[in-house]
Amino acid sequence: MEVIRDNKIKNLKETLEKELSSTADLVDLDKIRVAYLGKKGSVTGLLKGMKDLSHEERKEFGKKVNELKSSVADTIEKKKAELKEKEIEAEIKTMPAFDITTPVDVAKGSYHPITLVQRQCETIFKSMGFTVEDYSEVVTDYECFESLNIPKHHPARDMQDTYYLENGQLLKSQTSAAQNAIIKKYGKSLVEKGTPIKAIFPGRCFRNEATDATHENTFFQMEGVMVDKDISISNLIYFMKTMLSEVFKKDIKVRLRPGFFPFVEPGFELDINCLICGGEGCPSCNRSGWLELCPCGMIHPEVLKEGGVDPEEYTGFAFGLGLTRLVMMKYGVKDIRDLNSGNLKALSQFTDDEV
Ligand code: FA5
């Protein structure tokens, strides 16, 4: 009797193998699974005659049927994976070839107006012999303040509260944060070869401040420094005026008034006549007719010394152009917040084929 039962198991396995080898479809495979392992399936059916067996035989046969059950389930699962893979391969073969270089049919993007004006300023300064430097947005207290003659607890820090990282670094509140590194970088060739330091460094700045039509918490500045023998305020004014007349393609009325920054001496505020209201006074210029655009001055001897340049021998100027404000004036943007709004409709109106 045991031989008959073993034969039944063997036959069942052989029939299953035959059926599987001629199955090429997942639906048919599922039918086979039900036919073998379902409630009324042939494997389950084997257990039906068990009630007539002795205790020992039942134990023995039950074990064999359970082994059969899991081997059938495994075989069906393997076949299922095989069929799925074949199905995917067939699907891939029928897919049209994908060419990654095919142009996408969507509206063309455009440069942000700040990028346009930044590039324009870079071109102007490069044509006057300046190099363009890039600098990190995350800086140390030394870079942003101490190297600029602003020690801890100096009141000048109050104007430039910014965002601090847990490690003590900060998001730079002014592009002047790069001054020390630039002076150090080019100081050697100034001293050894007599090559003047002439660099601009545009960058994003951050300040923890209440926003209004002319103040954002995230805005752009463009710093410039020039250090050589006999550099004076006249050089500074020349470069500023040249840059502004190139950007606006006309002479711009500017005014220079005294301004205090611990890293320049003397220091100035360079204002331009508000181009939104023509100097009449409007919310964009705080109703003064003038817009504070570019603080500047002669680099403080302590800052030169900190950068490794002898202030007895060399002098230099520095300026911190409010790039975002320049963009407002150039394009007549009344509220600075529009520039960070991400509103494509508002931004896409600014195009410039010169850049
Ligand atoms: C400075 O940041 C100095 N580092 C500038 C400087 C450089 C002086 C070199 C001397 C020598 P101030 O905080 O004024 O200065 O900012 C410079 C310009 O950045 C401002 O004139 C203005 O145009 C722009 N600016 C300042 N704060 C904001 C703000 N919150 N939103 C938009 N633009 C701003």
Side-chain angles (χ1 to χ4, degrees):
M1 287 300 277
E2 194 185 343
V3 178
I4 297 175
R5 286 195 296 271
D6 284 352
N7 274 343
K8 270 189 183 171
I9 290 178
K10 194 169 157 241
N11 290 342
L12 200 141
K13 273 186 174 174
E14 284 170 3
T15 329
L16 174 69
E17 267 163 33
K18 265 191 215 148
E19 284 182 28
L20 289 183
S21 66
S22 60
T23 307
D25 173 297
L26 283 165
V27 179
D28 287 348
L29 181 69
D30 201 52
K31 282 183 190 152
I32 294 176
R33 184 188 61 78
V34 175
Y36 280 80
L37 299 173
K39 268 190 190 160
K40 295 179 186 160
S42 35
V43 176
T44 326
L46 287 174
L47 299 169
K48 283 189 181 148
M50 276 179 67
K51 60 179 186 324
D52 304 325
L53 302 179
S54 69
H55 177 70
E56 269 314 298
E57 283 172 328
R58 217 184 294 158
K59 212 172 140 190
E60 183 71 13
F61 186 61
K63 196 175 160 216
K64 283 181 182 168
V65 173
N66 276 336
E67 281 167 5
L68 173 71
K69 209 171 168 182
S70 55
S71 126
V72 169
D74 281 357
T75 315
I76 292 177
E77 268 312 303
K78 267 187 208 147
K79 182 74 183 180
K80 194 172 169 182
E82 201 181 292
L83 289 182
K84 270 196 172 165
E85 201 167 313
K86 279 193 181 149
E87 211 174 73
I88 293 168
E89 275 169 17
E91 203 180 318
I92 291 171
K93 275 188 193 147
T94 62
M95 279 164 77
F98 174 65
D99 180 0
I100 200 162
T101 61
T102 309
V104 185
D105 189 18
V106 290
K108 267 208 289 177
S110 59
Y111 285 112
H112 193 284
I114 294 177
T115 306
L116 294 174
V117 175
Q118 180 182 320
R119 289 188 180 176
Q120 197 185 2
C121 291
E122 286 175 7
T123 308
I124 297 166
F125 276 102
K126 273 200 260 183
S127 75
M128 298 192 286
F130 284 72
T131 56
V132 182
E133 296 286 324
D134 193 14
Y135 210 71
S136 171
E137 287 175 0
V138 178
V139 295
T140 59
D141 189 87
Y142 173 79
E143 289 166 295
C144 203
F145 300 119
E146 298 210 19
S147 67
L148 293 167
N149 215 14
I150 311 176
K152 290 211 162 45
H153 313 299
H154 191 291
R157 288 190 181 218
D158 293 351
M159 309 291 290
Q160 299 204 11
D161 186 19
T162 180
Y163 304 94
Y164 286 79
L165 277 67
E166 275 172 10
N167 66 5
Q169 287 185 309
L170 48 115
L171 298 187
K172 72 169 185 266
S173 56
Q174 51 180 347
T175 42
S176 303
Q179 269 195 29
N180 180 261
I182 305 287
I183 295 173
K184 279 180 180 153
K185 180 172 172 185
Y186 292 108
K188 205 164 171 243
S189 37
L190 169 70
V191 175
E192 289 174 4
K193 298 186 198 150
T195 320
I197 303 177
K198 281 172 96 177
I200 55 163
F201 25 109
R204 200 192 313 258
C205 300
F206 307 84
R207 288 189 195 176
N208 176 19
E209 64 182 321
T211 61
D212 60 26
T214 53
H215 291 86
E216 253 293 13
N217 50 30
T218 306
F219 58 97
F220 285 79
Q221 287 185 345
M222 193 180 74
E223 193 88 357
V225 291
M226 179 170 183
V227 184
D228 199 358
K229 289 192 170 152
D230 303 322
I231 296 294
S232 70
I233 296 168
S234 346
N235 298 106
L236 166 65
I237 295 170
Y238 167 78
F239 282 110
M240 293 290 86
K241 284 199 95 171
T242 308
M243 188 267 300
L244 289 172
S245 59
E246 289 276 331
V247 168
F248 290 103
K249 304 281 178 238
K250 59 176 180 185
D251 264 347
I252 297 294
K253 226 167 145 185
V254 298
R255 73 175 186 190
L256 214 55
R257 55 192 168 90
F260 173 72
F261 301 92
F263 40 96
V264 284
E265 183 55 42
F268 307 99
E269 289 284 1
L270 184 138
D271 301 336
I272 65 167
N273 202 229
C274 179
L275 298 173
I276 303 229
C277 62
E280 300 262 299
C282 67
S284 305
C285 58
N286 282 332
R287 312 209 176 271
S288 70
W290 293 94
L291 198 82
E292 185 190 303
L293 183 72
C294 188
C296 49
M298 299 305 293
I299 303 178
H300 197 287
E302 286 303 320
V303 175
L304 286 176
K305 224 191 278 174
E306 191 66 25
V309 169
D310 182 0
E312 296 291 325
E313 214 174 325
Y314 299 96
T315 49
F317 67 74
F319 61 85
L321 174 75
L323 199 60
T324 309
R325 295 231 181 121
L326 185 64
V327 171
M328 291 174 73
M329 288 296 107
K330 178 159 165 126
Y331 289 108
V333 180
K334 293 193 178 118
D335 194 316
I336 195 170
R337 291 164 289 197
D338 288 342
L339 292 168
N340 278 358
S341 69
N343 182 342
L344 292 182
K345 217 168 164 191
L347 296 174
S348 62
Q349 61 190 293
F350 311 111
T351 50
D352 198 330
D353 2 81
E354 301 160 52
V355 189

